[in-house]
Amino acid sequence: MIYKRDPRSATLWVLLISMLPLAGALLYLLLGINRYRRRALRQSRDDELDLDRPGGGEIPAEIPDALAGLAQLVGRATRLPLTCGNRIEPLVDGAQAYPAMLDAIDGAQHSIALASYIFDRRGIGQTFIDALRRAHKRGVKICVLIDDVYARLSFRSAYHPLRRSGIAVASFNPTLLPARLHAAHLRNHRKILVVDNRQGFTGGMNIYNPYWRPEDLRQAWHDLHFRIEGPVVAHLAEAFARDWFDTTGDVLDAAFWGDPPQQFQDSTWQSLARGIEAGPDETIDRMRWTFMGALHSARHTVRIWTPYFVPDQSMLAALSAASLRGVRVELLTPANNDHRTVQWAAQAHFWQVLEHGVRIFERPAPFDHTKLMLVDGQWVCLGSANWDARSLRLNFEFNVEVYDSRLCAELERLYDSIREQSTEVTRSTLIARPWPTKLRNGFARLLTPVL
């Protein structure tokens, strides 16, 4: 009753506990406390990992007036400045992303920091394990962080092979610790790789075999990852360092990272970029504010590419409001999802935005795990966050906002090419669905708060 942000949620929990005192209280203990107190925040306020600092600095003159408010919003929310002189390269699917990441690991001279929600030891995962072992033998300092649910509960996790190799590996938020039992459903969904503090990789891609089908690329899952160089790499490193400290108690200082990333003056390195760290801790709601701020700032076009579309009413309202203002709002999502319940819930939400002019396209199989948002040909938001309650409230996510018309144009061309291969969902299509399908989807929609 004191801490729940949504009074409807508080009311439902009070009713459940009143009707089922023992079971309701146990469920609340396991699923209802969506707060995570970080180890870093229990230290002195002078601790170098503390985020209690002023807002995001001045708004660069290069940012269009229509997006200046968005830049100010994200700056104040993250308390990080926009960095200039960055180069951001899209890597399409595992066929491009994995070789680039492996080349960076093989070329590492000083340090490697790697965080992944899933790190499978089979197939391409074994290739990554071998590359990390070679780097370890060269004397490179390595830290690997895997979310505990996959590290502990999967027999295919890379956790134990890495540990046996002498590599520093840890699992985030151990689910079996009594002190963390209430936070067992709060997971680290970030995908971060930082090599020598000069080259970073982030996006939506796990180290997972379904993305890697060299014998038949047509069967591989789709996704977007990004190679990042320039000062914003420091934001990736900081997010990793906070998670590592929270998990292990070890501070990754300059001795681990080495020299800070440099700003580049070359005309091809013109991206203004900033990291966005969000999760069920002191960074809560940052991703929601970013998405809603982008929708309110849009004047012409919004392109959203997401595998899981199960937003709450506030996000649905923001999408509809943007469309009603005359903005062309498009959503690209997979026709064949890896989680059936999520797909059914998404389809149950479609009508609420279709009736206000939002256009929805479903990409045919194989599964598309891409997460991307593009606004007005000027702004890009890339990273690990989905358009669902889990990403917006329960998961630890990391995205990067980028102000760069050239990068945005390149990604718009990619988006548009995939949209042309996809099937548009219309209101008549939804109306024509049989009642059992509608009921199934409606029931799945009731699970939206935990999907």
Side-chain angles (χ1 to χ4, degrees):
M1 293 174 65
I2 297 174
Y3 294 109
K4 280 292 178 187
R5 294 168 180 261
D6 187 344
R8 294 170 299 180
S9 175
T11 301
L12 288 173
W13 278 115
V14 168
L15 289 173
L16 179 62
I17 294 171
S18 299
M19 291 185 293
L20 302 170
L22 183 60
L26 181 60
L27 283 172
Y28 180 74
L29 176 65
L30 294 175
L31 299 174
I33 305 175
N34 301 329
R35 300 186 304 278
Y36 183 100
R37 184 165 178 79
R38 281 189 174 273
R39 186 200 302 255
L41 293 186
R42 295 196 293 268
Q43 309 303 308
S44 162
R45 299 303 290 178
D46 295 327
D47 193 292
E48 63 182 287
L49 294 176
D50 182 51
L51 287 183
D52 188 16
R53 57 187 150 202
E58 299 296 325
I59 306 299
E62 303 94 307
I63 293 181
D65 290 343
L67 297 177
L70 174 61
Q72 186 175 63
L73 181 158
V74 180
R76 288 182 173 179
T78 62
R79 296 181 290 243
L80 289 174
L82 272 169
T83 63
C84 57
N86 298 288
R87 179 184 178 187
I88 300 177
E89 176 189 359
L91 302 170
V92 181
D93 297 340
Q96 291 186 8
Y98 289 150
M101 296 166 72
L102 290 166
D103 284 347
I105 292 171
D106 282 331
Q109 300 297 317
H110 185 75
S111 66
I112 297 170
L114 171 61
S116 186
Y117 178 62
I118 296 174
F119 191 163
D120 197 329
R121 69 184 181 191
R122 301 173 302 164
I124 191 62
Q126 184 61 54
T127 306
F128 271 86
I129 293 171
D130 293 341
L132 290 168
R133 284 171 174 165
R134 291 192 296 270
H136 180 63
K137 290 179 180 178
R138 294 197 308 271
V140 176
K141 301 172 185 176
I142 302 175
C143 292
V144 178
L145 187 62
I146 308 172
D147 184 75
D148 188 72
V149 165
Y150 193 81
R152 188 182 300 275
L153 302 182
S154 172
F155 295 109
R156 300 190 297 268
S157 172
Y159 179 88
H160 292 292
L162 290 170
R163 190 173 183 181
R164 287 193 295 267
S165 300
I167 294 171
V169 57
S171 59
F172 182 86
N173 188 19
T175 54
L176 300 182
L177 290 181
R180 294 255 173 115
L181 190 61
H182 70 281
H185 63 305
L186 308 178
R187 309 316 320 164
N188 193 327
H189 194 240
R190 294 167 181 159
K191 291 89 175 172
I192 294 174
L193 171 62
V194 178
V195 177
D196 290 341
N197 209 24
R198 297 182 60 83
Q199 190 172 185
F201 295 83
T202 195
M205 204 170 300
N206 295 291
I207 302 175
Y208 194 34
N209 228 29
Y211 294 112
W212 187 248
R213 292 287 187 271
E215 72 283 356
D216 188 357
L217 296 177
R218 295 171 298 178
Q219 297 302 314
W221 283 9
H222 301 293
D223 210 332
L224 265 181
H225 223 60
F226 294 83
R227 189 206 318 261
I228 299 175
E229 297 172 273
V232 78
V233 172
H235 295 179
L236 279 69
E238 180 179 336
F240 181 92
R242 279 169 45 78
D243 289 343
W244 186 259
F245 178 70
D246 188 67
T247 303
T248 67
D250 296 332
V251 175
L252 300 180
D253 55 16
F256 176 84
W257 296 110
D259 295 333
Q262 299 298 309
Q263 176 178 326
F264 293 86
Q265 304 298 331
D266 188 277
S267 60
T268 61
W269 299 66
Q270 292 300 315
S271 293
L272 291 164
R274 171 168 39 211
I276 306 171
E277 186 181 348
D281 54 5
E282 77 283 1
T283 65
I284 194 168
D285 279 337
R286 287 181 182 178
M287 209 64 70
R288 178 193 302 275
W289 295 337
T290 298
F291 288 165
M292 294 189 74
L295 289 170
H296 292 318
S297 299
R299 295 295 180 267
H300 307 290
T301 59
V302 172
R303 293 171 170 87
I304 299 168
W305 199 345
T306 181
Y308 311 120
F309 181 72
V310 279
D312 60 21
Q313 286 304 124
S314 64
M315 301 297 290
L316 290 168
L319 286 164
S320 297
S323 181
L324 290 170
R325 284 193 293 109
V327 178
R328 190 175 81 241
V329 181
E330 295 181 353
L331 170 70
L332 181 60
T333 192
N336 301 90
N337 207 295
D338 63 332
H339 297 297
R340 288 290 184 88
T341 305
V342 176
Q343 183 165 12
W344 298 338
Q347 292 172 349
H349 283 92
F350 285 171
W351 67 271
Q352 296 185 68
V353 291
L354 283 175
E355 67 179 2
H356 297 124
V358 176
R359 299 182 69 188
I360 301 175
F361 300 86
E362 291 186 326
R363 184 181 189 179
F367 176 53
D368 188 343
H369 193 246
T370 304
K371 305 115 174 0
L372 190 69
M373 185 175 184
L374 308 171
V375 173
D376 287 351
Q378 299 284 340
W379 185 81
V380 178
C381 192
L382 59 97
S384 63
N386 300 304
W387 280 66
D388 60 11
R390 179 150 292 280
S391 276
L392 298 176
R393 288 194 305 113
L394 303 179
N395 281 345
F396 294 89
E397 306 284 0
F398 185 83
N399 275 36
V400 178
E401 66 158 348
V402 187
Y403 297 82
D404 185 334
S405 58
R406 287 187 293 181
L407 175 65
C408 198
E410 180 180 354
L411 293 170
E412 283 182 337
R413 288 192 293 270
L414 176 62
Y415 178 102
D416 292 346
S417 68
I418 301 303
R419 182 193 59 198
E420 296 305 313
Q421 305 168 22
S422 304
T423 302
E424 184 166 7
V425 179
T426 63
R427 293 181 64 191
S428 59
T429 303
L430 296 181
I431 293 171
R433 285 176 174 164
W435 276 104
T437 299
K438 295 177 180 178
L439 287 173
R440 178 202 65 191
N441 294 354
F443 178 78
R445 186 166 67 110
L446 299 179
L447 305 177
T448 293
V450 295
L451 289 178

